[in-house]
Amino acid sequence: MLIGTIRPVETRTIEVEGDSLAALQAAVDAQLPDGWVATNVPAAMPKGSQLLTSTATITRMDGTQEIEADDMTALEAKVPDGWKLLSVREL
C-alpha cells in the first residue's frame, strides 16, 4: 500500500510598488493569504518614475491531503486535476 501526500497547485499574481526592494517584498508579504508564499517578485522601474513596481507571483503551499493506492500507477491516477503529488511512502 502506498500513501501519497498531495496539495493544490494554485498561483496568483499581485501588483505592488515601493521605493526599494525591501518595500516591494513588504508589500507582497502584506497581501499574502495564510498558507501562501511569494515565489517570484521581479522588480522594474518604469521610465520617469522613482518607484519600483512588480507583478509578483504567489503560490499556495497549504491544504495537503493524503491518498492511498496499491501501486504507483493507481496512486498517480488518484491525483485530482489541479493537485500535485508531493511525496510517496509505503505503508
Side-chain angles (χ1 to χ4, degrees), residues 4-77:
T5 302
I6 60 173
R7 76 165 161 79
V9 176
E10 186 177 352
T11 61
R12 296 181 193 161
T13 58
I14 54 176
E15 302 291 328
V16 293
E17 64 181 24
D19 58 2
S20 68
L21 293 175
L24 280 181
Q25 188 64 52
V28 171
D29 291 345
Q31 295 185 50
L32 284 176
D34 288 341
W36 291 69
V37 297
T39 52
N40 191 22
V41 186
M45 184 177 286
K47 204 173 217 179
S49 175
Q50 294 184 359
L51 285 178
L52 294 170
T53 62
S54 180
T55 301
T57 302
I58 61 173
T59 303
R60 184 176 178 181
M61 294 293 188
D62 68 347
T64 60
Q65 295 182 12
E66 290 188 343
I67 56 175
E68 297 179 3
D70 292 327
D71 58 42
M72 192 63 185
T73 303
L75 190 68
E76 289 172 337

